[in-house]
Amino acid sequence: MSERAQFATKLGVIAATVGSAVGLGNIWRFPYMAGENGGGAFLIVYICCVIVLGIPLMCAEFAIGRKSRTNAAGALKVLAPKSQWHIIGYIGILASTLILGYYMVIAGWVVEYIYQAIKDNLFGDSATTIANNFELFKTDVWRPLVWVGALLVINYLIISRGVTKGIEKASNIMMPMLFVILLIFCGYAITLPGAKEGLTYLFNPDFSKIDGGVVLSAMGQAFFSLSIGLGILITYGSYFKRNVNLPKTGFTVAILDMLVAILAGVMIFPITASFGISPTQGPDLIFVTLPNVFGKMFMPNMWAILFFVFAGVAALTSTISLLEVAIAYISEEFKLSRKRASIIILLIVAVLSVLSSLSFSVLSEVKLFDMNFFELSDYFSANILLPLGGFLLSVYVGWRMKKRDFKLELGGNTQISTILYTLILFSIRFIAPISIIFIFLSITGIFNI
Ligand code: PHE
């Protein structure tokens, strides 16, 4: 067999993994969640979730990947032969492909907004026009599909080039770009008259808002934001060289991911406060509220283009990582060339994306469990498959994987301290599985605290 691909540098490892972690979740979910749920107090809770739960689980996935040096499903066939643990890999492949179906559609909306801003068409004179235009665009049959098509081609051009020349190189260029744009925005935002009010909303701690439900949402957000439980980190971990220290990498990625989420808040709240518009979350924030604010700013098109390029880059590096799970799987398990594997997976994603996109127009009434296809793929992947994958993963690494192997894998070329190892293992064995069960019960509404 030919030599397996690897990320060439440690910086490339960080850029690609942060690329996966930083996505729309950092921009449209985290800031609002923090602002609404106790500001600084929420930040403390979130940081604890990331340290106690997120980083240990990232290490668990990386370790499985690097030890087996193969794709998410193949990895557990290598490490636990004659068992059913490789089902973790299949769950990841299924979940990441389903997520791609709707993530690609939203990424497509972002590209439409870049295009409209370049054409100077984005800003009607009133807030209602902007909201209406978004509604009209979303419910159009063809327009969103054109952008999905364009994105599938862009993803193909990057991912078919392979791990080093495709994913790593693209991440090395796009991630610094993302940080630069974010810093430009933050620099501008904090000089605005509403800066103080906005930052107070984000940072002022209010511990009375913290209850069980808030802690569970913080955990869920930590999972989604760090791309845990989907086989992505197993797949990327399989491309790490031995000189990569896993806890250190997990820590660095988590810090950078958090930094982007917090800076997104530092950009959003001062500008919304300064222009007297209340902040929102989800698609409305980036496709209605912010365009509304940009429209009132000096040089609106420039700010809109910068912002949507920022969101587009964040989404693109995430779609690449989601695609890589399935592409690595079918190219390795079915011995297909990378190009062919990429085409097959992108075709599957194309079908899912068309169904998701049409959920806003002709298929809006086609429902299962009262959800259209778009909502169903989100619900089933993020609320069911993701916790299930994370749970099985923590049980496997915590209770089944040979402890010596796990410890050696964490350090790579170097030794990691016994204290650090014990803490990580404790979290993977006890804290992670128990918390995941609670998150699952709470998001599915089976149990409410
Ligand atoms: N982590 C990304 C975000 O915060 C989303 C994502 C989830 C990407 C799962 C890949 C896998 O938006």
Side-chain angles (χ1 to χ4, degrees):
M1 215 175 100
S2 60
E3 182 82 352
R4 195 161 188 278
Q6 287 185 327
F7 289 126
T9 65
K10 286 189 189 173
L11 203 67
V13 163
I14 302 287
T17 320
V18 174
S20 172
V22 169
L24 296 170
N26 300 56
I27 306 172
W28 81 28
R29 218 158 99 86
F30 180 88
Y32 187 83
M33 228 174 159
E36 281 295 279
N37 294 316
F42 180 87
L43 292 181
I44 296 174
V45 173
Y46 184 76
I47 292 173
C48 293
C49 294
V50 166
I51 293 175
V52 174
L53 211 61
I55 298 175
L57 281 170
M58 292 178 84
C59 290
E61 284 205 35
F62 289 152
I64 293 179
R66 187 168 62 187
K67 174 91 192 126
S68 62
R69 299 228 151 274
T70 186
N71 65 85
L76 286 134
K77 290 188 192 157
V78 173
L79 298 185
K82 300 203 201 68
S83 73
Q84 295 303 318
W85 287 107
H86 58 269
I87 203 158
I88 298 175
Y90 291 130
I91 293 174
I93 294 162
L94 181 64
S96 50
T97 313
L98 276 177
I99 291 182
L100 268 169
Y102 69 85
Y103 212 85
M104 206 61 95
V105 172
I106 302 172
W109 298 350
V110 172
V111 186
E112 157 87 7
Y113 273 60
I114 300 178
Y115 174 73
Q116 294 297 348
I118 292 175
K119 277 190 33 194
D120 193 12
N121 259 348
L122 204 54
F123 305 106
D125 28 22
S126 74
T128 346
T129 327
I130 292 179
N132 282 344
N133 285 347
F134 176 50
E135 215 38 49
L136 278 178
F137 163 70
K138 200 168 71 168
T139 50
D140 190 83
V141 174
W142 290 106
R143 243 191 123 72
L145 291 182
V146 171
W147 297 118
V148 168
L151 272 170
L152 292 172
V153 173
I154 297 175
N155 273 282
Y156 175 78
L157 292 176
I158 297 174
I159 212 156
S160 63
R161 298 222 155 102
V163 174
T164 328
K165 292 205 191 100
I167 303 178
E168 183 171 358
K169 201 164 158 204
S171 310
N172 281 343
I173 299 170
M174 288 196 280
M175 293 321 286
M177 195 167 125
L178 182 135
F179 272 95
V180 170
I181 300 183
L182 189 55
L183 290 176
I184 295 177
F185 259 103
C186 290
Y188 170 73
I190 55 174
T191 57
L192 288 172
K196 193 148 170 271
E197 193 188 326
L199 296 179
T200 310
Y201 179 69
L202 177 62
F203 291 115
N204 198 28
D206 177 358
F207 285 94
S208 69
K209 293 245 174 90
I210 305 292
D211 58 14
V214 169
V215 175
L216 288 178
S217 340
M219 285 181 192
Q221 170 69 7
F223 262 75
F224 189 77
S225 195
L226 293 171
S227 310
I228 291 168
L230 295 163
I232 291 179
L233 305 175
I234 299 183
T235 312
Y236 275 16
S238 75
Y239 304 134
F240 290 3
K241 290 184 178 162
R242 287 219 61 83
N243 66 357
V244 174
N245 176 305
L246 303 186
K248 222 178 181 175
T249 306
F251 183 77
T252 314
V253 171
I255 294 282
L256 290 171
D257 181 62
M258 231 169 345
L259 190 68
V260 173
I262 293 172
L263 289 179
V266 171
M267 129 174 123
I268 292 165
F269 297 132
I271 57 177
T272 46
S274 296
F275 292 94
I277 289 168
S278 44
T280 46
Q281 65 168 338
D284 262 9
L285 171 72
I286 68 177
F287 298 109
V288 180
T289 310
L290 289 180
N292 213 338
V293 181
F294 299 150
K296 298 177 191 253
M297 280 159 52
F298 173 62
M299 298 212 287
N301 288 312
M302 180 203 79
W303 290 111
I305 293 170
L306 264 187
F307 175 78
F308 287 105
V309 167
F310 165 74
V313 166
L316 182 60
T317 44
S318 293
T319 57
I320 289 174
S321 73
L322 285 159
L323 279 167
E324 184 60 19
V325 182
I327 290 176
Y329 167 66
I330 66 162
S331 70
E332 287 175 351
E333 302 294 303
F334 300 96
K335 312 254 175 307
L336 298 179
S337 73
R338 196 172 169 88
K339 287 205 161 64
R340 187 164 292 181
S342 310
I343 290 179
I344 295 175
I345 298 301
L346 282 164
L347 284 176
I348 297 175
V349 172
V351 174
L352 296 175
S353 309
V354 169
L355 293 174
S356 284
S357 185
L358 297 183
S359 301
F360 294 96
S361 51
V362 284
L363 299 183
S364 64
E365 288 313 311
V366 182
K367 292 192 173 173
L368 191 67
F369 304 117
D370 214 24
M371 287 179 272
N372 62 33
F373 187 81
F374 184 98
E375 292 158 343
L376 198 66
S377 359
D378 178 24
Y379 188 87
F380 189 59
S381 51
N383 292 358
I384 313 243
L385 292 176
L386 199 146
L388 187 63
F391 177 78
L392 293 175
L393 180 91
S394 58
V395 175
Y396 172 73
V397 176
W399 299 94
R400 281 281 171 270
M401 189 172 175
K402 282 199 200 100
K403 294 293 124 356
R404 216 184 93 83
D405 283 356
F406 182 52
K407 185 165 184 223
L408 280 178
E409 211 45 65
L410 286 177
N413 278 347
T414 51
Q415 283 269 352
I416 71 153
S417 75
T418 309
I419 300 184
L420 183 60
Y421 164 72
T422 314
L423 287 174
I424 292 178
L425 190 65
F426 181 79
S427 164
I428 295 176
R429 281 197 148 171
F430 301 103
I431 305 179
I434 295 171
S435 329
I436 295 171
I437 291 177
F438 275 106
I439 300 177
F440 175 75
L441 293 176
S442 133
I443 43 184
T444 49
I446 298 174
F447 161 84
N448 265 323
I449 49 172

